Amino acid sequence: MAVTDRDSINCLPMDQPQTYPLLDTINSPADLRHLPQPKLAQLAAELRQFLIQSVSTRGGHFAAGLGTVELTIALHYVYNTLTTAWCGT
């Protein structure tokens, strides 16, 4: 795959600052569970974009992280996972 100035995930120019409107509203798994199911796909896309942006500016590997985005969202959405421990309280 050729590297271009466009991101293949959502076709945003790589030099534009990334925004994560839905991801920015999530502070705990409880916040995630309050989202309607149709918004979960948008959240997954924003998480993937965040991972890509982070690795592209700091280095590292992200293939495993990209592969588990939906799984991680689903687990937190369905099960009552970390609530108070999430914030360190």
Side-chain angles (χ1 to χ4, degrees), residues 26-34 76-77 79 81-83 86:
I26 306 296
N27 294 309
S28 73
D31 295 336
L32 173 71
R33 287 188 287 277
H34 286 96
H76 285 298
Y77 193 80
Y79 295 105
T81 57
L82 311 169
T83 52
W86 180 275

Side-chain angles (χ1 to χ4, degrees), residues 31-79:
D31 295 336
L32 173 71
R33 287 188 287 277
H34 286 96
L35 292 176
Q37 284 186 1
K39 290 286 191 179
L40 298 179
Q42 177 187 344
L43 179 62
E46 288 182 21
L47 276 168
R48 269 192 230 88
Q49 187 60 41
F50 176 79
L51 288 170
I52 291 168
Q53 182 67 25
S54 296
V55 170
S56 71
T57 58
R58 294 175 186 84
H61 301 281
F62 62 91
L66 290 177
T68 61
V69 167
E70 284 86 356
L71 174 63
T72 304
I73 289 173
L75 289 172
H76 285 298
Y77 193 80
V78 172
Y79 295 105

